[in-house]
Amino acid sequence: MKRILLFLATNIAVLLVVSVVFNIVIAATGIDARGSAGLLIFCALFGFGGAFVSLWISRWMAIRSTGARVIERPQNQSEEWLLRTVQQQAQKAGIPMPQVAVYQSPSPNAFATGRSKNHSLVAVSTGLLQSMNADEVEAVLAHEVSHIANGDMVTLTLIQGVVNTFVMFFARIIASAIARGDNQRGGLAYFGLVMLLEVVFGILASVIVMWFSRQREFRADAGSADIAGKQKMIAALRRLQQGRESELDGTMLAFGIKGKRSTIGKLFMSHPPLEERIHALEQRR
């Protein structure tokens, strides 16, 4: 229930912020939002606006949705080690010290998020700390630190913004052409078609986003190999391979460290198969 309320609150905030920006731009430029140019601007504002608002509050949302506890004063040696390890890795990667958090979950997972390198978070599950040894946890932490150093959150947001823009734009252009007899952009048929087309185009467009997500995992693995050592990262991936292949929580799918293979193939996977990640590291000099 809490996750649903947070989701609704996020969407309301996105709509409010983007609507204000849209009205300001239209008033300042005098662009006709009913034309193709105005419609494209409208879609870009909503597409990029939604993506960037989500990025801006991503750290807060991640903490709230997982119930993660940010380590400010370490309560035990394990937490002291986590802070010290992330600090050393951040220095190697040339980024400011991220917040470090632990959340309760039996599944061995970790994620990195935040709106920038200066406002980032690395979180690990209790399941990961319990199922991996120190070297393997160190490699996973380095993987997440590499995500931050590579600017993956911002880049993924830009890609999502472009995808959102064109999904919204083409859905409305095609719906307008089909529903000409229904007052074009004002009738029920038009709005029904827009919703249907946005779902279809959104599914197709997710292939692009997922492709980039898979590429960033390979880069983060390579970054972990540079920071913590190649063999440690391979050992961590093999440890995950030994566990059961369970799908990550939908909210954290973009930030987790593993993905589930489906019969429809890798097109809709956010993460490459573990064997491919291991093979890529083994081939790396």
Side-chain angles (χ1 to χ4, degrees):
M1 185 63 180
K2 180 172 67 174
R3 183 173 300 161
I4 295 174
L5 291 174
L6 288 171
F7 174 78
L8 292 175
T10 302
N11 278 274
I12 292 172
V14 169
L15 288 175
L16 288 174
V17 172
V18 173
S19 295
V20 170
V21 174
F22 173 69
N23 290 334
I24 292 174
V25 171
I26 295 301
T29 61
I31 293 175
D32 184 3
R34 294 172 296 178
S36 295
L39 178 62
L40 184 59
I41 291 175
F42 171 85
C43 293
L45 284 171
F46 271 86
F48 279 93
F52 274 100
V53 170
S54 297
L55 174 68
W56 189 264
I57 63 173
S58 60
R59 186 170 64 176
W60 177 81
M61 280 292 295
I63 292 172
R64 293 297 298 271
S65 62
T66 62
R69 178 178 59 83
V70 176
I71 302 174
E72 295 177 350
R73 294 182 178 179
Q75 297 180 356
N76 49 53
Q77 290 184 344
S78 177
E79 292 185 0
E80 289 179 358
W81 180 84
L82 280 174
L83 284 178
R84 184 170 63 253
T85 301
V86 172
Q87 184 177 39
Q88 292 170 351
Q89 293 177 348
Q91 290 174 349
K92 284 185 179 180
I95 61 172
M97 174 67 178
Q99 285 186 327
V100 181
V102 177
Y103 64 99
Q104 295 290 327
S105 173
S107 183
N109 289 313
F111 65 87
T113 189
R115 66 178 185 264
S116 69
K117 296 178 183 180
N118 294 324
H119 300 85
S120 59
L121 169 76
V122 172
V124 296
S125 69
T126 52
L128 183 137
L129 295 176
Q130 292 166 2
S131 63
M132 290 188 175
N133 61 38
D135 284 348
E136 293 161 352
V137 174
E138 180 186 351
V140 171
L141 292 172
H143 174 96
E144 303 306 334
V145 167
S146 295
H147 273 312
I148 299 170
N150 293 339
D152 284 341
M153 288 81 75
V154 175
T155 307
L156 188 63
T157 299
L158 291 172
I159 292 174
Q160 188 66 64
V162 172
V163 166
N164 290 347
T165 297
F166 285 103
V167 165
M168 295 175 67
F169 179 73
F170 286 116
R172 282 159 177 77
I173 289 293
I174 294 173
S176 181
I178 295 174
R180 287 187 180 278
D182 191 38
N183 297 324
Q184 289 199 9
R185 293 176 185 164
L188 291 176
Y190 167 76
F191 286 113
L193 281 169
V194 165
M195 288 191 293
L196 176 62
L197 289 169
E198 281 192 348
V199 171
V200 174
F201 291 163
I203 292 173
L204 295 175
S206 67
V207 173
I208 300 172
V209 179
M210 292 300 100
W211 175 85
F212 172 76
S213 180
R214 292 193 297 274
Q215 301 312 304
R216 73 176 193 160
E217 291 307 311
F218 286 120
R219 290 194 296 270
D221 286 345
S224 176
D226 291 336
I227 295 172
K230 183 173 76 171
Q231 294 306 318
K232 290 181 181 180
M233 189 62 212
I234 290 174
L237 292 173
R238 283 180 174 156
R239 179 76 67 179
L240 289 175
Q241 213 172 24
Q242 293 171 2
R244 64 185 182 87
E245 291 291 324
S246 60
E247 191 169 4
L248 290 177
D249 185 286
T251 307
M252 290 289 101
L253 188 58
F255 306 114
I257 59 176
K258 62 173 182 173
K260 185 179 180 180
R261 178 180 294 181
S262 64
T263 55
I264 202 168
K266 295 188 299 182
L267 289 178
F268 295 97
M269 290 174 58
S270 65
H271 293 63
L274 292 171
E275 58 267 25
E276 290 188 14
R277 295 170 64 181
I278 292 171
H279 178 72
L281 284 171
E282 288 175 338
Q283 297 301 309
R284 191 170 185 271
R285 295 182 179 179

